[in-house]
Amino acid sequence: MNLILLGPPGAGKGTQASRLTEARNVIQLSTGDMLRDVVETHSTLGARTKAIMDAGGLVSDDIVIDIVSDRLDKLDCKNGFILDGFPRTVSQAQALDSLLESKCLALTAVIEILVDEEVLIKRIEKRALEMLSAGKKVRKDDNPSSFEKRLMAYRSQTLPLSGYYSKLGLLKTVDGMAGIESVSAQIDRILDQET
Ligand code: AMP
């Protein structure tokens, strides 16, 4: 099972992806996590990546595509993977198509989690407060101005992917306004039909 989870920041892609890794024995590939690892290297690339991420912008396609390509070659992807946060632009989606073809892999489905923007903003505020009260570090990009920029990037660059995957007959949508359990159940129903 090779899956893409699409949806705006705060839609619950990470939550659903990590649940699926346990339930379906597949790997979660979060480009956000991979890029946060790059930042931790404290290299020049790390510093540049950090500045873009903190401001809520998108890291360049070339960098992200190279990271994903290398990651897909690792043995643990052979059972299947869930892409969380990738692709985020049409050119990333096109590059992914070529990558998968060259590696003799195919997508099972693309699941888009639909959530209204007002709800997203409230969820991000809640996530920041929960982190604070748990004494954990709040994500640098979970502040109102970076989050607005992430939403803008989503609207202009990522939303066109729904049409892209719909044309390929791969797109399925779930109602992300419902609770976590209900979203999980909707995703399970789709996967049970597709696999
Ligand atoms: P996420 O953890 O998915 O919310 O991603 C956090 C940040 O990492 C985003 O706001 C972007 O700056 C960067 N990022 C993650 N995935 C991508 C991607 N596929 N393309 C470009 N930038 C990305």
Side-chain angles (χ1 to χ4, degrees):
M1 184 187 92
N2 300 324
L3 200 67
I4 292 177
L5 287 183
L6 279 184
K13 300 184 294 295
T15 304
Q16 294 300 332
S18 56
R19 183 192 66 88
L20 285 168
T21 57
E22 306 245 322
R24 309 242 169 192
N25 189 29
V26 289
I27 286 284
Q28 174 181 4
L29 300 179
S30 154
T31 43
D33 285 348
M34 294 180 213
L35 290 166
R36 281 182 279 275
D37 287 344
V38 172
V39 169
E40 286 305 310
T41 61
H42 300 293
S43 56
T44 314
L45 176 63
R48 246 186 289 144
T49 304
K50 179 177 173 7
I52 296 168
M53 290 175 76
D54 286 355
L58 287 185
V59 176
S60 83
D61 287 341
D62 290 355
I63 292 173
V64 182
I65 291 162
D66 279 353
I67 292 177
V68 171
S69 175
D70 288 347
R71 188 65 187 83
L72 285 174
D73 287 335
K74 301 243 165 79
L75 265 184
D76 60 357
C77 293
K78 300 295 171 230
N79 261 344
F81 53 81
I82 303 166
L83 286 165
D84 155 18
F86 180 89
R88 255 179 162 94
T89 65
V90 170
S91 63
Q92 288 181 14
Q94 289 164 337
L96 178 65
D97 284 346
S98 317
L99 274 182
L100 293 177
E101 203 184 330
S102 70
K103 297 176 199 291
C104 297
L105 295 167
L107 292 170
T108 311
V110 177
I111 299 181
E112 182 175 22
I113 306 177
L114 304 169
V115 187
D116 289 350
E117 282 194 9
E118 309 83 75
V119 173
L120 295 173
I121 293 164
K122 290 213 178 79
R123 279 189 193 174
I124 289 295
E125 283 167 1
K126 192 165 158 247
R127 176 157 88 187
L129 284 175
E130 281 168 359
M131 296 293 254
L132 269 180
S133 61
K136 293 190 190 150
K137 263 208 330 226
V138 177
R139 269 176 62 160
K140 270 267 175 61
D141 56 356
D142 275 353
N143 64 71
S145 96
S146 298
F147 190 71
E148 180 52 37
K149 207 165 159 217
R150 285 160 69 198
L151 273 181
M152 274 165 55
Y154 172 76
R155 283 184 219 120
S156 62
Q157 314 246 63
T158 313
L159 258 185
L161 292 181
S162 317
Y164 182 90
Y165 287 116
S166 169
K167 276 195 198 120
L168 294 176
L170 287 168
L171 189 75
K172 311 279 169 194
T173 55
V174 295
D175 173 12
M177 303 282 279
I180 293 174
E181 294 304 320
S182 156
V183 178
S184 300
Q186 295 176 64
I187 293 177
D188 282 339
R189 271 198 295 278
I190 293 170
L191 294 179
D192 290 341
Q193 279 167 8
E194 298 297 320
T195 51

